[in-house]
Amino acid sequence: MEEVQSATAQVIHLVLQPNPEPTMAQIWNQIERLIVQHINPGFLQDLVEQIEIMQDGNQLTTDEVQDIATCAVMQEVEEILQGVISRHPPEVQQKAKAKVEEVNKKLAKKKKSNSSSSSRA
């Protein structure tokens, strides 16, 4: 049970690493609180119990337990995030999507530029 809870905490923490800028850190902290608020404690308890049953029957390795817990928690977080996103007006969702695409393009361009300059050296 402790392995699953530890893996759950690690996954949530890794997914929600705050940006060093204070305003972004505050936003990330708010998002983390929102997710934790929406995670159904019964879900986590049932998940832990089911995984323990499988582990007690020697059906799972420690790595498999961690992988299953990680995927299950991430799927639950994904549903929570989709619920939060859907509460925003469509125009806000579109602006956010456009901004994410813009950032991803810049990052891809930067990565490509860095890899081509390092391959020349």
Side-chain angles (χ1 to χ4, degrees), residues 4-56:
V4 174
Q5 289 175 335
S6 175
T8 300
Q10 288 174 351
V11 169
I12 291 172
H13 180 72
L14 289 174
V15 170
L16 300 174
Q17 286 289 324
N19 188 314
E21 295 178 27
T23 56
M24 287 305 297
Q26 291 171 352
I27 292 169
W28 278 110
N29 288 333
Q30 180 182 358
I31 292 168
E32 186 173 6
R33 284 191 302 274
L34 184 65
I35 291 171
V36 170
Q37 249 179 351
H38 285 85
I39 289 181
N40 180 346
F43 166 80
L44 293 177
Q45 185 174 349
D46 289 347
L47 175 65
V48 169
E49 288 172 5
Q50 292 301 313
I51 291 175
E52 283 179 339
I53 289 169
M54 293 171 76
Q55 190 175 27
D56 288 344

